[in-house]
Amino acid sequence: MCGIFGVYNNNNASKLTYLGLHALQHRGQEAVGIAVSNRYEINMKKAEGLVMQSLDEKSLNELKGDIAIGHVRYSTSGKSNPQNVQPFLSHFYKGSFAVAHNGNIVNADLIREELEKEGAIFYTTSDTEVFIHLIAKAKNTTDFGINLHPNDREFLPLLFSAMKKVKGAYSLLILRENQLIAVRDPFGFRPLVLGKNKQGSIFLASESCALDIVEAEYLRDLKAGEVLVIDGDGLRSYYPLGFVDKAYKCIFEYVYFSRPDSIIFQDYVYSIRKEMGRQLAREMPIDADVVVPVLDSGMLSAKGYSEESGIPLEIGLIRNHYIGRSFIQPIQEIRDLSVKLKLNPVRQVVEGKRIILIDDSLVRGTTAKKIVRMLRRAGAKEIHFLISSPPVVSPCVYGIDTPTKEELIASSKSVNEIKEYIGVDTLYYLSLEGMIKSAMNNKNKGFCTACFTGDYPVL
Ligand code: AMP
């Protein structure tokens, strides 16, 4: 769970990256970093915390240059500590480069062990550093059979060689003194979009909502397995690992993770999320008075359900947006404080009503249990809880932060047992087929559904 953003050819590169990262803040709140090239050297600022709180105008003014990459971090691999904050800047015999990574490399531990046995010293516990070592160590190889532009002959074979060894999910941005390079793994797990503004600056971002904030137009998604080089000679694409017919795009990006105002995997998150709610209504029609979303994540599927069923949508839970990262320890007498800080029922809406409560996903089940208790206390007559995705049964190994298998309620309990645990009148999960059908269009074929099925495309 991370967000990445890059700019080429703009003298306000650091400030635009700051704005782009702010738009991607939902993808990671732990730390932020920006690296900028002034065409001679790369400079960088990193800090723990939110974008707006961690980088000030002075820091951004010090980051002079017209090419930049940035990263917002939520740790899924490696500990949450200052060393692991990205981008990572490295210097080797062919110059300097900075890397920002979204995803998770599944064979990182193995590669790391091999490299350490050969004497490599790692400075972080992040899987991304493996990539850097592999690039620096690679011998210039010509066995890729790809005709490279002269500007690319020095660095790209090293990158291609690293890509050959690494398995898993990686959307990467690499900043060199005179180049910006974007990479999407051959399975295409994580999104990465390309944009351009009227002045001719080029942008890359995890989601298109970050292009909107800098007034850039969305051009296209990077393709699975694509390496895109941007420099003074233009844009060039290579496919060092060949074309892959079936990409494994993370369907959970559509279910929960991406912002609804984004286009990712060539489609609108908004319409897909709403379609999941419509599909839910087709699969599980219920006679009730109101549809209530668990804000914010259940909003669009609840809207879809309401439209399809004709049952009115009401905001029966209000969300407080001012929850700090650290708050006073819950007071023992107030059992549901952690949820109360975030959500509060509207008695007028729920009292005496038969409610269809909708959320996008059920992970541990702890939030839902507390919400249901609050709604019952506010007078709800019936609570029918519908989830716009199937049961989460397996942890994600490709970059979404999910708890261990033991903590996933659906990995050990049946739907009926979960229903009893949460204390609802009905519990229904969207079918796997229904979810895939809602997310699929003619262009975006192929999803990774490992968290719902346990079928991992690459391990
Ligand atoms: P839980 O109490 O663990 O069942 O939490 C479920 C809630 O967490 C749902 O409202 C989801 O929208 C939200 N959620 C789902 N996946 C994640 C995630 N990876 N990180 C944080 N929240 C999530």
Side-chain angles (χ1 to χ4, degrees):
M1 282 165 71
C2 293
I4 55 177
F5 187 87
V7 192
Y8 182 88
N9 186 27
N10 195 301
N11 287 330
N12 287 316
S14 67
K15 288 183 180 164
L16 294 175
T17 303
Y18 171 88
L19 293 173
L21 292 176
H22 176 63
L24 298 173
Q25 187 78 79
H26 61 289
R27 299 184 70 89
Q29 298 93 43
E30 252 168 45
V32 53
I34 297 177
V36 181
S37 168
N38 59 14
R39 306 274 172 167
Y40 297 103
E41 58 176 7
I42 297 173
N43 291 298
M44 192 167 61
K45 300 264 182 204
K46 305 200 271 195
E48 288 181 276
L50 299 175
V51 177
M52 292 268 171
Q53 289 162 3
S54 311
L55 294 172
D56 56 17
E57 181 131 25
K58 185 170 162 282
S59 314
L60 295 173
N61 285 336
E62 284 164 9
L63 287 175
K64 290 194 180 18
D66 72 333
I67 326 177
I69 62 170
H71 188 269
V72 282
R73 172 175 168 82
Y74 191 105
S75 53
T76 51
S77 157
K79 294 207 177 69
S80 167
N81 65 28
Q83 282 81 14
N84 284 347
V85 180
Q86 297 193 26
F88 294 147
L89 175 59
S90 308
H91 312 281
F92 77 138
Y93 69 104
K94 290 201 169 161
S96 304
F97 66 104
V99 177
H101 171 209
N102 173 209
N104 199 29
I105 295 166
V106 291
N107 62 344
D109 288 349
L110 253 153
I111 298 176
R112 189 187 185 102
E113 202 184 311
E114 272 171 31
L115 292 169
E116 281 180 341
K117 278 186 190 151
E118 288 168 17
I121 295 171
F122 281 76
Y123 289 95
T124 74
T125 55
S126 158
D127 58 333
T128 310
E129 199 182 349
V130 161
F131 233 115
I132 292 162
H133 280 268
L134 289 177
I135 290 172
K137 260 184 67 92
K139 302 276 173 292
N140 236 336
T141 124
T142 46
D143 65 355
F144 290 96
I146 295 174
N147 192 12
L148 293 171
H149 182 281
N151 295 358
D152 303 336
R153 288 182 190 149
E154 193 175 58
F155 188 81
L156 281 208
L158 310 179
L159 172 64
F160 293 173
S161 156
M163 286 171 71
K164 237 179 158 175
K165 296 210 167 77
V166 154
K167 286 186 192 164
Y170 52 88
S171 283
L172 288 180
L173 293 178
I174 301 174
L175 173 67
R176 301 185 68 217
E177 280 95 343
N178 285 301
Q179 274 183 335
L180 175 59
I181 303 169
V183 185
R184 220 174 138 211
D185 70 68
F187 287 83
F189 286 107
R190 298 276 144 243
L192 191 56
V193 299
L194 174 70
K196 192 178 180 180
N197 73 2
K198 285 208 178 85
Q199 293 74 42
S201 306
I202 303 291
F203 296 87
L204 286 141
S206 294
E207 296 179 34
S208 70
C209 66
L211 301 179
D212 297 337
I213 198 170
V214 296
E215 298 188 333
E217 182 198 349
Y218 163 82
L219 296 177
R220 66 175 177 91
D221 279 38
L222 249 75
K223 297 201 177 76
E226 180 173 358
V227 174
L228 176 70
V229 183
I230 304 158
D231 65 13
D233 283 353
L235 280 71
R236 299 176 292 281
S237 288
Y238 301 102
Y239 297 87
L241 305 181
F243 286 99
V244 181
D245 281 351
K246 188 176 188 296
Y248 288 87
K249 296 176 282 288
C250 168
I251 202 155
F252 205 70
E253 293 271 355
Y254 279 145
V255 168
Y256 167 76
F257 200 35
S258 292
R259 251 172 62 163
D261 51 340
S262 283
I263 301 170
I264 59 154
F265 306 145
Q266 307 184 64
D267 215 335
Y268 292 94
V269 178
Y270 186 98
S271 48
I272 288 175
R273 218 165 267 175
K274 210 164 116 184
E275 182 56 29
M276 287 172 177
R278 284 185 171 274
Q279 178 63 20
L280 205 47
R282 291 190 282 266
E283 289 184 16
M284 192 62 182
I286 288 177
D287 189 17
D289 303 311
V290 281
V291 177
V292 172
V294 177
L295 296 178
D296 295 326
S297 54
M299 183 61 207
L300 290 173
S301 37
K303 175 108 174 78
Y305 191 100
S306 166
E307 284 179 10
E308 186 71 22
S309 65
I311 301 170
L313 177 87
E314 292 285 354
I315 306 300
L317 288 162
I318 297 297
R319 179 163 172 191
N320 185 328
H321 285 269
Y322 304 98
I323 316 165
R325 282 178 60 79
S326 59
F327 49 82
I328 52 159
Q329 284 306 305
I331 304 158
Q332 276 310 317
E333 305 89 85
I334 306 174
R335 274 154 68 218
D336 299 336
L337 186 67
S338 58
V339 167
K340 279 206 178 101
L341 283 169
K342 193 170 161 189
L343 292 166
N344 193 38
V346 183
R347 185 171 275 275
Q348 196 193 354
V349 172
V350 302
E351 195 163 28
K353 298 276 176 37
R354 296 170 301 161
I355 293 171
I356 297 177
L357 182 69
I358 301 196
D359 204 355
D360 70 287
S361 58
L362 199 59
V363 183
R364 293 183 183 84
T366 46
T367 315
K369 192 177 167 73
K370 291 173 181 173
I371 291 171
V372 167
R373 199 153 49 203
M374 289 193 313
L375 288 171
R376 293 252 188 242
R377 233 178 276 142
K381 198 163 112 195
E382 290 171 17
I383 302 176
H384 305 279
F385 191 28
L386 311 185
I387 314 291
S388 56
S389 63
V392 178
V393 290
S394 296
C396 176
V397 296
Y398 307 119
I400 297 270
D401 180 44
T402 29
T404 59
K405 196 166 175 75
E406 294 68 45
E407 291 170 281
L408 294 171
I409 191 163
S411 76
S412 59
K413 283 191 166 59
S414 68
V415 174
N416 218 18
E417 286 168 335
I418 302 171
K419 178 187 145 209
E420 294 302 316
Y421 170 77
I422 294 173
V424 284
D425 300 276
T426 309
L427 174 65
Y428 182 78
Y429 288 93
L430 183 63
S431 67
L432 183 68
E433 303 70 44
M435 175 183 68
I436 293 173
K437 200 169 90 184
S438 310
M440 193 79 93
N441 66 24
N442 292 331
K443 293 169 285 182
N444 67 20
K445 290 193 209 103
F447 290 106
C448 172
T449 56
C451 54
F452 302 115
T453 57
D455 297 335
Y456 294 98
V458 58
L459 280 176

